[in-house]
Amino acid sequence: MNALFQSELRKLIYLRANWLLLLWSGLFAALGTVAPIVVLNSETQGMGMGFSGTSTPEGINAVFANAAGGYLFALIMGILIMTNEFRHGTAVGTFLVTPKRSTVLVAKLIAAALAGLVVQIFSFLIALTSGLIALTFFEPHSPVTGELIWKVFRASALSGIVLGIVGVGLGALVKNQVAAVTGAVIWTLIVEGLVVAFVESIGKYLPAGAITGLVDLDFGSNDFNFSIENYLSPGPAILVLLGYAAIFSLVAMRTTLRRDLD
Amino acid sequence: MAEIKIEFKNLSKQYKDVLAVSNFSAQVVSGRVTGFLGPNGAGKSTALRCLLGLVTPTSGEALINGGSYSDLSEPIKHVGALLDSRGFHPGLTAMQNMKVMASASAIDFSRIPELLKLVDLEHATNKRTKGFSLGMKQRLSLAIAMLGDPEILVLDEPANGLDPIGIVWLREFVKKLAAEGRTILISSHQLAEMQNTVDDVVIINKGELVAEGSISEICKGKTLEEAFLDLTLRRSA
Ligand SMILES: Nc1ncnc2c1ncn2[C@@H]1O[C@H](COP(=O)(O)OP(=O)(O)OP(=O)(O)O)[C@@H](O)[C@H]1O
Ligand SMILES: [Mg+2]
């Protein structure tokens, strides 16, 4: 198992595409905090979205909650870990070395959890530092508290682990790399966002909704129709996320164990 | 003493509408090179994939040392395989691809340069396999098959894409391995070449066993090509 995990790590580290993806996640992360800081402090005061500027705790919360927003990259990482094997026919070699497919899957799930964690911690750190730097241009501002940082870090780390695992399950199910990644992007950036925004009763149980619940920060915006009260509290949110990890691990196992390979 | 190393027992594999392998039985013994011959679509690759646990047989079994491939612990230390699919990542170098495989079975990396030299790929050690020619890919696959220093080699059309020098080299290489007592099962279309390489022959057509025996028993004074055409055309007529 240890040897197999090492082999999975090598695949991760050797592939340039993975480093490129990490770079993109950093860029996305920096934008995630810097852009709202600039917008919130622009003359139109939050572009009429009802956010207060960064002089209030709610404004700071709204900005730094985004530091947990890079989980799409963790999801893509998980998808790539699985679908690379089918896309390039390396699954054959992998299963020749280790015919016990469940063992391979466990190694992949652990590798994906780790990769997702790394992506999200990296994103979080970039988002946090670039946000703090951007804030120095808009003094005075409400403080960025240790509690806030901890809440966002917690959500980043857990969502990275969970979505890395979900990615492996999705990849095993769909097999086609382009389809799986495209589907994941459309789902995360469009469908899920709409459901979370407009059908809160369902949205709070979706990964994005659960992650918002786990971040547990009130943006305190009346006009924007957002209240953290409408989301799960951190405990249940963690359970929901772990539930997704469990379901998609099972999917990965089920779909890969007996499938013929060519 | 020659031992039975590979055994197909009433193996069948049904894909949706194709019976790729049909009640196929054959044995392969150690210390000899066995040619696995048959027309396109005869079921050779499918039978080998069943043997290697990549494809689940519909019925029957394919055994290595009397057991299934998936029951071997660290199988690549017993069986080396070269299949017709690409088994490595185009974005990784030859060395990186081999390290990925070696590390999964805790095989020492010090073997890798040796093997790359053996297949004449030293110059491409640190090149990404994306730019490899067909022959170079085939050589790398062969090096990967030898990674665990296996006693059994299963090669699906290993001569594909090799230049004449490569083909001669491959012939001498498998003969030498067989002389060391190893078991070589090799599928091919190049019958003239196989005539000079193999000791035993297994012929399959439309998924069924057509003939099995030593090369002299099968050829009966004719060339392997003539014997093969006789056997496969007569049966399918
Ligand atoms: N994954 C698959 N799904 C459906 N049919 C398949 C699959 N793999 C092989 N077949 C069919 O099974 C039959 C045997 O194919 P196989 O690849 O085993 O033949 P082969 O003897 O290796 O041929 P070749 O000499 O061309 O490599 C063919 O009719 C082929 O179309
Ligand atoms: Mg074939």
Side-chain angles (χ1 to χ4, degrees):
Chain A
M1 187 67 225
N2 189 27
L4 206 51
F5 178 62
Q6 268 190 34
S7 170
E8 287 301 326
L9 282 191
R10 277 183 195 281
K11 292 180 197 171
L12 269 172
I13 290 166
Y14 287 155
L15 263 187
R16 290 189 197 172
N18 294 338
W19 294 104
L20 221 64
L21 190 66
L22 192 64
L23 222 66
W24 275 107
S25 77
L27 206 69
F28 184 86
L31 263 175
T33 49
V34 174
I37 288 172
V38 174
V39 171
L40 290 179
N41 289 293
S42 66
E43 282 171 48
T44 50
Q45 272 294 312
M47 304 185 93
M49 282 162 75
F51 283 118
S52 15
T54 50
S55 56
T56 66
E58 288 80 9
I60 288 291
N61 283 351
V63 166
F64 284 94
N66 283 342
Y71 49 84
L72 171 61
F73 293 94
L75 180 61
I76 293 177
M77 201 64 110
I79 292 175
L80 294 184
I81 286 177
M82 196 65 215
T83 53
N84 271 339
E85 298 272 359
F86 301 121
R87 178 166 179 203
H88 302 296
T90 51
V92 167
T94 302
F95 290 130
L96 281 178
V97 179
T98 317
K100 302 258 181 323
R101 297 191 185 181
S102 53
T103 316
V104 174
L105 256 294
V106 171
K108 280 204 179 305
L109 289 166
I110 297 175
L114 184 70
L117 179 68
V118 168
V119 167
Q120 271 294 63
I121 289 182
F122 177 73
S123 292
F124 165 80
L125 290 175
I126 297 275
L128 182 66
T129 17
S130 30
L132 289 175
I133 292 169
L135 276 181
T136 61
F137 293 90
F138 299 101
E139 303 281 8
H141 60 81
S142 175
V144 180
T145 64
E147 190 201 358
L148 176 151
I149 293 176
W150 159 243
K151 281 180 166 179
V152 180
F153 174 78
R154 181 179 68 182
S156 293
L158 188 72
S159 62
I161 293 172
V162 167
L163 286 166
I165 291 173
V166 169
V168 171
L170 210 59
L173 192 67
V174 179
K175 270 179 95 179
N176 181 306
Q177 187 164 78
V178 176
V181 171
T182 312
V185 169
I186 292 175
W187 166 262
T188 308
L189 296 184
I190 303 171
V191 181
E192 194 180 30
L194 288 177
V195 176
V196 172
F198 295 109
V199 201
E200 276 173 343
S201 56
I202 302 172
K204 65 179 173 184
Y205 296 107
L206 295 180
I211 292 166
T212 307
L214 178 56
V215 171
D216 190 31
L217 290 173
D218 208 336
F219 306 167
S221 158
N222 299 322
D223 309 349
F224 188 54
N225 187 30
F226 175 91
S227 167
I228 194 66
E229 302 300 317
N230 296 330
Y231 290 83
L232 298 172
S233 49
I238 289 173
L239 287 182
V240 167
L241 287 173
L242 292 180
Y244 280 111
I247 290 169
F248 279 88
S249 300
L250 259 174
V251 167
M253 292 284 186
R254 275 303 174 92
T255 46
T256 316
L257 288 191
R258 293 194 64 81
R259 187 151 51 189
D260 288 343
L261 286 177
D262 42 31
Chain B
M1 268 326 298
E3 294 172 71
I4 297 171
K5 285 288 178 178
I6 297 175
E7 191 167 19
F8 298 95
K9 277 184 167 171
N10 308 108
L11 183 72
S12 295
K13 177 64 186 181
Q14 173 89 51
Y15 287 115
K16 273 173 211 108
D17 46 356
V18 200
L19 185 57
V21 177
S22 168
N23 199 30
F24 175 74
S25 298
Q27 296 178 341
V28 178
V29 298
S30 63
R32 297 173 75 85
V33 180
T34 302
F36 191 23
L37 314 177
N40 290 130
K44 303 180 295 295
S45 298
T46 305
L48 297 181
R49 280 168 196 284
C50 289
L51 180 67
L52 298 167
L54 298 169
V55 163
T56 313
T58 309
S59 64
E61 48 189 1
L63 305 173
I64 289 181
N65 281 333
S68 78
Y69 183 87
S70 28
D71 289 337
L72 294 170
S73 74
E74 303 190 297
I76 65 168
K77 292 182 181 167
H78 302 278
V79 184
L82 177 155
L83 293 171
D84 50 2
S85 51
R86 313 137 297 164
F88 37 81
H89 197 291
L92 267 51
T93 65
M95 176 59 98
Q96 288 175 332
N97 269 296
M98 291 195 71
K99 281 186 173 173
V100 164
M101 304 289 273
S103 62
S105 226
I107 288 169
D108 206 282
F109 292 166
S110 63
R111 255 184 86 68
I112 298 175
E114 249 172 79
L115 286 169
L116 287 171
K117 187 174 173 192
L118 179 75
V119 298
D120 205 11
L121 274 184
E122 262 174 313
H123 61 286
T125 301
N126 295 313
K127 289 204 177 105
R128 295 207 272 166
T129 60
K130 191 181 284 179
F132 276 25
S133 70
L134 181 58
M136 289 167 79
K137 286 180 190 162
Q138 206 68 309
R139 286 164 188 268
L140 179 59
S141 299
L142 204 60
I144 290 175
M146 292 303 295
L147 202 50
D149 194 19
E151 50 153 341
I152 299 171
L153 268 182
V154 175
L155 309 174
D156 197 357
E157 299 184 34
N160 255 6
L162 290 187
D163 55 29
I165 303 171
I167 290 179
V168 173
W169 171 82
L170 180 67
R171 181 209 305 158
E172 298 312 317
F173 181 64
V174 296
K175 281 183 159 178
K176 189 179 121 252
L177 292 175
E180 292 169 8
R182 301 185 211 234
T183 310
I184 322 285
L185 179 59
I186 178 169
S187 92
S188 178
H189 289 125
Q190 288 158 321
L191 296 174
E193 176 52 33
M194 289 302 265
Q195 178 134 36
N196 299 322
T197 311
V198 303
D199 305 302
D200 292 329
V201 178
V202 172
I203 299 180
I204 184 175
N205 191 18
K206 298 185 174 167
E208 294 175 21
L209 178 73
V210 171
E212 184 184 19
S214 71
I215 184 122
S216 54
E217 285 166 0
I218 298 290
C219 291
K220 297 194 188 83
K222 291 180 284 190
T223 66
L224 181 57
E225 191 167 72
E226 287 163 349
F228 176 85
L229 291 176
D230 268 5
L231 286 162
T232 51
L233 292 178
R234 192 180 69 221
R235 298 292 172 113
S236 50

